[in-house]
Amino acid sequence: MKILLIGGTGTISSAITRQLADGGHDLWLLNRGNRKSEVPAGVRQVIADIDDTAEVLRQIDGEQFDAVCEFIGFVPEQVQRDIRLFSGRTRQYVYISSASAYNKPAANHVITEGTTLANPYWEYSRNKIACEELLLKAYRDDAFPVTIVRSSHTYCERGVPVSVHEPKGSWQVLKRMMDGKPVIIHGDGTSLWTLTWNEDFARGFIGLLRNPKAIGEAFQIMSDEQLSWTQIYQCVADALGVELKPYYISSTFLAKAAPKDYDFEGNLLGDKSVTVQFDCTKLKRAVAGFQATTRFHEGVRRCVAYLKAHPELQQEDPDFDAWCDRVIAAQEQALRSL
């Protein structure tokens, strides 16, 4: 297949890039070239800002693709740009949306592709919904060959997934664990969550490319493993070889107490604080044999080993560390005052 990935070097798309390259496909990446050294040999790179449509068209003029996959489209204007660029140039357009677009809280904790889309807590999710609606209208009105893929907390070796962390990433949370300090877990730690290793996600995703069952449809790609947030943090502590000292604080309180750039209203109330169980039956019917095989306790050990071997990824955040200490002290003071 001849495939163009818009992005191609991020958490999700890097695994797809590797697997497509290993499979001998004619793979093109359209991005700004910031991670050129990580791109496999034989992959053609279109170095451009996707918003510079004149330059993009100059480099792909006359090309026809079996699939164009959009990993960095976040607002409707970007999707509308893609429709203009790739109508008549691709047999399939795959849009990465987000499972955070599902209604919070949903009427049923078991989530399928038919679950209502609505998120009053997170603008990111509302924009994803608007992008989906625009694409489906283009499919209905003009036969634009869209496939929508909804992901939820896919991770790779470059970062350990936790829920309460600073904008720079999760390293400061790991450092708190290694320093013997308590770490904040939202709620009481019992809500269930799903974490998917990016190589597993990639296999399901690639199975949808040029799949006749995929055009005009939406699919969610996740692991079948559900863990409570306490279990998730315990796996992280085990991978680090330290004792977990959990400190539980209401998600609502965290959303109100955190600096605005932490965006806990969206990340927690609009996503991670809600128990969900994703039903991937539709994907498994379309992609024979798909099964996520990497359990979180295995994946997180790979993450920790990779981060320890790459000091440049160990970004400390003293401000977040101090904020955690203040929030914990405030709750302890409130308890003593009762």
Side-chain angles (χ1 to χ4, degrees):
M1 291 186 291
K2 184 176 180 179
I3 302 162
L4 173 68
L5 306 186
I6 304 171
T9 58
T11 297
I12 293 177
S13 59
S14 59
I16 295 168
T17 293
R18 289 193 297 269
Q19 290 184 22
L20 286 173
D22 289 345
H25 296 282
D26 183 5
L27 181 60
W28 299 43
L29 302 188
L30 195 170
N31 57 45
R32 296 182 180 182
N34 294 331
R35 291 184 177 177
K36 292 174 64 174
S37 62
E38 300 176 19
V39 176
V43 175
R44 178 161 176 175
Q45 296 191 71
V46 179
I47 306 300
D49 181 337
I50 182 63
D51 287 321
D52 186 353
T53 56
E55 175 60 19
V56 172
L57 287 173
R58 187 188 69 79
Q59 296 198 51
I60 67 169
D61 186 42
E63 302 291 345
Q64 292 285 329
F65 298 96
D66 291 302
V68 170
C69 309
E70 172 63 271
F71 294 93
I72 53 174
F74 301 105
V75 296
E77 292 78 10
Q78 294 169 324
V79 166
Q80 190 65 64
R81 172 206 63 208
D82 287 356
I83 293 172
R84 291 194 304 270
L85 270 173
F86 298 110
S87 288
R89 288 188 172 91
T90 185
R91 295 180 176 88
Q92 183 182 25
Y93 173 90
V94 185
Y95 177 69
I96 295 290
S97 186
S98 170
S100 69
Y102 291 121
N103 194 29
K104 301 294 183 299
N108 191 319
H109 72 282
V110 178
I111 304 299
T112 71
E113 288 82 356
T115 298
T116 302
L117 303 182
N119 192 327
Y121 300 102
W122 209 358
E123 184 180 13
Y124 164 81
S125 306
R126 294 193 293 274
N127 281 329
K128 286 289 189 179
I129 295 169
C131 289
E132 288 197 25
E133 291 174 344
L134 185 62
L135 287 164
L136 290 174
K137 185 177 188 303
Y139 169 71
R140 292 190 299 266
D141 294 350
D142 303 309
F144 186 69
V146 64
T147 297
I148 292 168
V149 172
R150 299 184 186 128
S151 63
S152 177
H153 216 154
T154 305
Y155 69 106
C156 69
E157 69 279 0
R158 296 176 65 90
V160 173
V162 294
S163 61
V164 180
H165 62 85
E166 72 279 15
K168 293 181 181 179
S170 61
W171 177 255
Q172 191 65 47
V173 179
L174 273 61
K175 188 173 187 303
R176 287 182 68 88
M177 289 185 181
M178 292 184 288
D179 290 344
K181 301 179 74 171
V183 292
I184 297 173
I185 300 178
H186 66 275
D188 62 2
T190 61
S191 61
L192 299 178
W193 195 242
T194 298
L195 296 157
T196 306
W197 183 247
N198 69 342
E199 297 285 351
D200 288 334
F201 182 96
R203 288 195 297 275
F205 182 92
I206 291 171
L208 293 173
L209 299 182
R210 296 296 291 133
N211 187 325
K213 297 180 180 179
I215 302 300
E217 297 290 337
F219 296 87
Q220 51 192 24
I221 304 178
M222 293 89 173
S223 170
D224 291 325
E225 181 183 36
Q226 287 91 41
L227 296 171
S228 72
W229 277 104
T230 295
Q231 290 173 321
I232 290 169
Y233 275 77
Q234 185 62 61
C235 287
V236 176
D238 291 345
L240 291 168
V242 300
E243 177 187 359
L244 174 65
K245 296 180 179 179
Y247 195 91
Y248 300 104
I249 297 179
S250 156
S251 297
T252 302
F253 183 87
L254 290 170
K256 292 181 178 180
K260 188 175 182 179
D261 62 336
Y262 288 12
D263 197 14
F264 286 159
E265 181 175 11
N267 276 296
L268 296 181
L269 300 180
D271 200 26
K272 298 177 180 63
S273 67
V274 182
T275 286
V276 290
Q277 179 181 343
F278 295 106
D279 182 348
C280 291
T281 299
K282 183 177 180 180
L283 175 71
K284 293 175 182 178
R285 287 174 177 164
V287 182
F290 171 76
Q291 184 69 48
T293 59
T294 305
R295 296 291 180 177
F296 181 64
H297 73 275
E298 301 166 349
V300 75
R301 289 181 185 277
R302 299 177 197 172
C303 294
V304 167
Y306 188 89
L307 290 175
K308 286 185 173 181
H310 291 79
E312 72 277 8
L313 298 178
Q314 300 171 18
Q315 297 187 49
E316 297 187 18
D317 191 331
D319 292 338
F320 173 78
D321 194 53
W323 178 83
C324 289
D325 290 338
R326 291 196 304 275
V327 170
I328 291 171
Q331 182 158 293
E332 288 296 304
Q333 177 62 37
L335 289 171
R336 288 193 295 269
S337 69
L338 296 176

mmCIF file of all heavy atoms in Angstrom, residues 302-329:
data_model
loop_
_atom_site.group_PDB
_atom_site.id
_atom_site.type_symbol
_atom_site.label_atom_id
_atom_site.label_comp_id
_atom_site.label_asym_id
_atom_site.label_seq_id
_atom_site.Cartn_x
_atom_site.Cartn_y
_atom_site.Cartn_z
ATOM 1 N N ARG A 302 9.146 -1.418 30.583
ATOM 2 C CA ARG A 302 9.890 -0.942 29.415
ATOM 3 C C ARG A 302 10.034 0.580 29.471
ATOM 4 O O ARG A 302 11.095 1.125 29.149
ATOM 5 C CB ARG A 302 9.172 -1.355 28.134
ATOM 6 C CG ARG A 302 9.024 -2.852 27.943
ATOM 7 C CD ARG A 302 8.233 -3.145 26.671
ATOM 8 N NE ARG A 302 7.724 -4.505 26.663
ATOM 9 C CZ ARG A 302 6.884 -4.984 25.751
ATOM 10 N NH1 ARG A 302 6.479 -4.190 24.763
ATOM 11 N NH2 ARG A 302 6.449 -6.231 25.815
ATOM 12 N N CYS A 303 8.957 1.261 29.878
ATOM 13 C CA CYS A 303 9.001 2.722 29.987
ATOM 14 C C CYS A 303 10.060 3.171 30.985
ATOM 15 O O CYS A 303 10.865 4.064 30.693
ATOM 16 C CB CYS A 303 7.634 3.255 30.427
ATOM 17 S SG CYS A 303 6.298 3.033 29.246
ATOM 18 N N VAL A 304 10.042 2.587 32.167
ATOM 19 C CA VAL A 304 10.970 2.984 33.222
ATOM 20 C C VAL A 304 12.411 2.730 32.779
ATOM 21 O O VAL A 304 13.301 3.577 32.976
ATOM 22 C CB VAL A 304 10.645 2.249 34.532
ATOM 23 C CG1 VAL A 304 11.787 2.399 35.542
ATOM 24 C CG2 VAL A 304 9.347 2.780 35.125
ATOM 25 N N ALA A 305 12.664 1.572 32.169
ATOM 26 C CA ALA A 305 14.017 1.262 31.701
ATOM 27 C C ALA A 305 14.468 2.269 30.648
ATOM 28 O O ALA A 305 15.623 2.727 30.667
ATOM 29 C CB ALA A 305 14.061 -0.154 31.141
ATOM 30 N N TYR A 306 13.570 2.639 29.739
ATOM 31 C CA TYR A 306 13.918 3.583 28.680
ATOM 32 C C TYR A 306 14.202 4.966 29.266
ATOM 33 O O TYR A 306 15.187 5.622 28.901
ATOM 34 C CB TYR A 306 12.781 3.654 27.667
ATOM 35 C CG TYR A 306 13.112 4.445 26.425
ATOM 36 C CD1 TYR A 306 13.703 3.825 25.326
ATOM 37 C CD2 TYR A 306 12.843 5.809 26.342
ATOM 38 C CE1 TYR A 306 14.019 4.539 24.172
ATOM 39 C CE2 TYR A 306 13.148 6.535 25.191
ATOM 40 C CZ TYR A 306 13.744 5.894 24.123
ATOM 41 O OH TYR A 306 14.060 6.618 22.997
ATOM 42 N N LEU A 307 13.343 5.424 30.181
ATOM 43 C CA LEU A 307 13.540 6.747 30.773
ATOM 44 C C LEU A 307 14.841 6.811 31.566
ATOM 45 O O LEU A 307 15.555 7.814 31.522
ATOM 46 C CB LEU A 307 12.355 7.089 31.672
ATOM 47 C CG LEU A 307 11.031 7.370 30.963
ATOM 48 C CD1 LEU A 307 9.917 7.577 31.988
ATOM 49 C CD2 LEU A 307 11.137 8.588 30.063
ATOM 50 N N LYS A 308 15.161 5.751 32.290
ATOM 51 C CA LYS A 308 16.407 5.753 33.064
ATOM 52 C C LYS A 308 17.630 5.780 32.150
ATOM 53 O O LYS A 308 18.681 6.304 32.533
ATOM 54 C CB LYS A 308 16.447 4.537 33.985
ATOM 55 C CG LYS A 308 15.505 4.651 35.183
ATOM 56 C CD LYS A 308 15.672 3.488 36.134
ATOM 57 C CE LYS A 308 14.855 3.682 37.401
ATOM 58 N NZ LYS A 308 15.021 2.554 38.365
ATOM 59 N N ALA A 309 17.477 5.237 30.953
ATOM 60 C CA ALA A 309 18.590 5.218 30.002
ATOM 61 C C ALA A 309 18.677 6.494 29.169
ATOM 62 O O ALA A 309 19.636 6.668 28.409
ATOM 63 C CB ALA A 309 18.467 4.002 29.080
ATOM 64 N N HIS A 310 17.687 7.390 29.297
ATOM 65 C CA HIS A 310 17.656 8.622 28.503
ATOM 66 C C HIS A 310 17.438 9.823 29.434
ATOM 67 O O HIS A 310 16.315 10.287 29.621
ATOM 68 C CB HIS A 310 16.554 8.555 27.446
ATOM 69 C CG HIS A 310 16.827 7.566 26.359
ATOM 70 N ND1 HIS A 310 16.618 6.214 26.521
ATOM 71 C CD2 HIS A 310 17.320 7.740 25.092
ATOM 72 C CE1 HIS A 310 16.955 5.596 25.398
ATOM 73 N NE2 HIS A 310 17.389 6.485 24.538
ATOM 74 N N PRO A 311 18.512 10.334 30.019
ATOM 75 C CA PRO A 311 18.403 11.455 30.954
ATOM 76 C C PRO A 311 17.722 12.688 30.367
ATOM 77 O O PRO A 311 17.116 13.468 31.106
ATOM 78 C CB PRO A 311 19.864 11.756 31.320
ATOM 79 C CG PRO A 311 20.597 10.478 31.039
ATOM 80 C CD PRO A 311 19.901 9.860 29.879
ATOM 81 N N GLU A 312 17.792 12.861 29.046
ATOM 82 C CA GLU A 312 17.169 14.042 28.428
ATOM 83 C C GLU A 312 15.651 14.026 28.580
ATOM 84 O O GLU A 312 15.000 15.072 28.435
ATOM 85 C CB GLU A 312 17.561 14.135 26.954
ATOM 86 C CG GLU A 312 16.915 13.101 26.035
ATOM 87 C CD GLU A 312 17.632 11.751 26.021
ATOM 88 O OE1 GLU A 312 18.548 11.570 26.837
ATOM 89 O OE2 GLU A 312 17.268 10.903 25.177
ATOM 90 N N LEU A 313 15.073 12.871 28.863
ATOM 91 C CA LEU A 313 13.628 12.768 29.052
ATOM 92 C C LEU A 313 13.215 12.949 30.513
ATOM 93 O O LEU A 313 12.021 13.006 30.813
ATOM 94 C CB LEU A 313 13.122 11.413 28.547
ATOM 95 C CG LEU A 313 13.334 11.132 27.057
ATOM 96 C CD1 LEU A 313 12.826 9.732 26.714
ATOM 97 C CD2 LEU A 313 12.623 12.171 26.200
ATOM 98 N N GLN A 314 14.174 13.049 31.395
ATOM 99 C CA GLN A 314 13.888 13.173 32.827
ATOM 100 C C GLN A 314 13.716 14.649 33.192
ATOM 101 O O GLN A 314 14.558 15.267 33.833
ATOM 102 C CB GLN A 314 15.006 12.529 33.635
ATOM 103 C CG GLN A 314 15.198 11.051 33.346
ATOM 104 C CD GLN A 314 16.451 10.469 33.988
ATOM 105 O OE1 GLN A 314 17.023 11.058 34.925
ATOM 106 N NE2 GLN A 314 16.888 9.324 33.505
ATOM 107 N N GLN A 315 12.590 15.202 32.772
ATOM 108 C CA GLN A 315 12.341 16.629 32.970
ATOM 109 C C GLN A 315 11.699 16.874 34.337
ATOM 110 O O GLN A 315 10.540 16.522 34.556
ATOM 111 C CB GLN A 315 11.434 17.160 31.861
ATOM 112 C CG GLN A 315 12.044 17.064 30.479
ATOM 113 C CD GLN A 315 11.203 17.756 29.436
ATOM 114 O OE1 GLN A 315 10.787 18.907 29.605
ATOM 115 N NE2 GLN A 315 10.936 17.073 28.334
ATOM 116 N N GLU A 316 12.472 17.464 35.237
ATOM 117 C CA GLU A 316 11.955 17.754 36.568
ATOM 118 C C GLU A 316 11.115 19.030 36.552
ATOM 119 O O GLU A 316 11.298 19.911 35.706
ATOM 120 C CB GLU A 316 13.111 17.892 37.565
ATOM 121 C CG GLU A 316 13.905 16.602 37.724
ATOM 122 C CD GLU A 316 14.937 16.682 38.837
ATOM 123 O OE1 GLU A 316 14.816 17.591 39.704
ATOM 124 O OE2 GLU A 316 15.854 15.849 38.858
ATOM 125 N N ASP A 317 10.187 19.116 37.501
ATOM 126 C CA ASP A 317 9.311 20.285 37.604
ATOM 127 C C ASP A 317 9.133 20.616 39.085
ATOM 128 O O ASP A 317 8.198 20.144 39.730
ATOM 129 C CB ASP A 317 7.966 20.008 36.947
ATOM 130 C CG ASP A 317 7.125 21.257 36.792
ATOM 131 O OD1 ASP A 317 7.281 22.175 37.623
ATOM 132 O OD2 ASP A 317 6.299 21.334 35.869
ATOM 133 N N PRO A 318 10.042 21.421 39.653
ATOM 134 C CA PRO A 318 9.955 21.769 41.070
ATOM 135 C C PRO A 318 8.647 22.463 41.434
ATOM 136 O O PRO A 318 8.151 22.301 42.558
ATOM 137 C CB PRO A 318 11.151 22.697 41.282
ATOM 138 C CG PRO A 318 12.087 22.389 40.164
ATOM 139 C CD PRO A 318 11.223 22.013 39.013
ATOM 140 N N ASP A 319 8.067 23.231 40.511
ATOM 141 C CA ASP A 319 6.807 23.914 40.800
ATOM 142 C C ASP A 319 5.683 22.906 41.025
ATOM 143 O O ASP A 319 4.869 23.060 41.942
ATOM 144 C CB ASP A 319 6.431 24.863 39.664
ATOM 145 C CG ASP A 319 7.376 26.047 39.560
ATOM 146 O OD1 ASP A 319 8.029 26.369 40.571
ATOM 147 O OD2 ASP A 319 7.456 26.638 38.473
ATOM 148 N N PHE A 320 5.617 21.876 40.179
ATOM 149 C CA PHE A 320 4.597 20.847 40.367
ATOM 150 C C PHE A 320 4.838 20.094 41.671
ATOM 151 O O PHE A 320 3.893 19.782 42.408
ATOM 152 C CB PHE A 320 4.608 19.868 39.191
ATOM 153 C CG PHE A 320 3.696 18.684 39.374
ATOM 154 C CD1 PHE A 320 2.326 18.806 39.190
ATOM 155 C CD2 PHE A 320 4.207 17.448 39.741
ATOM 156 C CE1 PHE A 320 1.476 17.721 39.366
ATOM 157 C CE2 PHE A 320 3.374 16.358 39.922
ATOM 158 C CZ PHE A 320 2.005 16.495 39.726
ATOM 159 N N ASP A 321 6.091 19.807 41.964
ATOM 160 C CA ASP A 321 6.426 19.097 43.191
ATOM 161 C C ASP A 321 5.960 19.891 44.414
ATOM 162 O O ASP A 321 5.334 19.344 45.346
ATOM 163 C CB ASP A 321 7.935 18.863 43.253
ATOM 164 C CG ASP A 321 8.329 17.855 44.309
ATOM 165 O OD1 ASP A 321 7.771 16.742 44.303
ATOM 166 O OD2 ASP A 321 9.203 18.181 45.142
ATOM 167 N N ALA A 322 6.217 21.188 44.397
ATOM 168 C CA ALA A 322 5.803 22.044 45.516
ATOM 169 C C ALA A 322 4.282 22.148 45.591
ATOM 170 O O ALA A 322 3.708 22.191 46.690
ATOM 171 C CB ALA A 322 6.429 23.428 45.360
ATOM 172 N N TRP A 323 3.625 22.194 44.445
ATOM 173 C CA TRP A 323 2.160 22.247 44.424
ATOM 174 C C TRP A 323 1.573 20.990 45.054
ATOM 175 O O TRP A 323 0.633 21.070 45.863
ATOM 176 C CB TRP A 323 1.670 22.401 42.982
ATOM 177 C CG TRP A 323 0.171 22.411 42.878
ATOM 178 C CD1 TRP A 323 -0.665 23.466 43.072
ATOM 179 C CD2 TRP A 323 -0.669 21.293 42.552
ATOM 180 N NE1 TRP A 323 -1.972 23.085 42.902
ATOM 181 C CE2 TRP A 323 -2.002 21.756 42.581
ATOM 182 C CE3 TRP A 323 -0.422 19.959 42.259
ATOM 183 C CZ2 TRP A 323 -3.085 20.913 42.314
ATOM 184 C CZ3 TRP A 323 -1.492 19.117 41.985
ATOM 185 C CH2 TRP A 323 -2.805 19.601 42.013
ATOM 186 N N CYS A 324 2.118 19.831 44.719
ATOM 187 C CA CYS A 324 1.654 18.579 45.339
ATOM 188 C C CYS A 324 1.794 18.639 46.855
ATOM 189 O O CYS A 324 0.870 18.266 47.601
ATOM 190 C CB CYS A 324 2.445 17.386 44.796
ATOM 191 S SG CYS A 324 2.097 16.950 43.086
ATOM 192 N N ASP A 325 2.937 19.125 47.330
ATOM 193 C CA ASP A 325 3.153 19.223 48.779
ATOM 194 C C ASP A 325 2.137 20.157 49.418
ATOM 195 O O ASP A 325 1.605 19.867 50.504
ATOM 196 C CB ASP A 325 4.574 19.725 49.068
ATOM 197 C CG ASP A 325 5.642 18.695 48.724
ATOM 198 O OD1 ASP A 325 5.321 17.498 48.664
ATOM 199 O OD2 ASP A 325 6.802 19.109 48.509
ATOM 200 N N ARG A 326 1.829 21.276 48.756
ATOM 201 C CA ARG A 326 0.869 22.231 49.314
ATOM 202 C C ARG A 326 -0.547 21.648 49.367
ATOM 203 O O ARG A 326 -1.277 21.836 50.352
ATOM 204 C CB ARG A 326 0.861 23.527 48.501
ATOM 205 C CG ARG A 326 2.119 24.364 48.626
ATOM 206 C CD ARG A 326 1.885 25.790 48.130
ATOM 207 N NE ARG A 326 1.399 25.852 46.757
ATOM 208 C CZ ARG A 326 2.177 25.838 45.686
ATOM 209 N NH1 ARG A 326 3.498 25.768 45.834
ATOM 210 N NH2 ARG A 326 1.659 25.925 44.467
ATOM 211 N N VAL A 327 -0.934 20.955 48.311
ATOM 212 C CA VAL A 327 -2.280 20.374 48.267
ATOM 213 C C VAL A 327 -2.436 19.302 49.346
ATOM 214 O O VAL A 327 -3.448 19.240 50.057
ATOM 215 C CB VAL A 327 -2.567 19.793 46.867
ATOM 216 C CG1 VAL A 327 -3.859 18.979 46.874
ATOM 217 C CG2 VAL A 327 -2.659 20.910 45.846
ATOM 218 N N ILE A 328 -1.429 18.464 49.486
ATOM 219 C CA ILE A 328 -1.477 17.422 50.524
ATOM 220 C C ILE A 328 -1.523 18.055 51.906
ATOM 221 O O ILE A 328 -2.310 17.659 52.776
ATOM 222 C CB ILE A 328 -0.273 16.474 50.378
ATOM 223 C CG1 ILE A 328 -0.416 15.648 49.091
ATOM 224 C CG2 ILE A 328 -0.156 15.555 51.594
ATOM 225 C CD1 ILE A 328 0.822 14.841 48.737
ATOM 226 N N ALA A 329 -0.700 19.084 52.134
ATOM 227 C CA ALA A 329 -0.688 19.759 53.435
ATOM 228 C C ALA A 329 -2.033 20.419 53.725
ATOM 229 O O ALA A 329 -2.516 20.402 54.868
ATOM 230 C CB ALA A 329 0.437 20.799 53.464
#
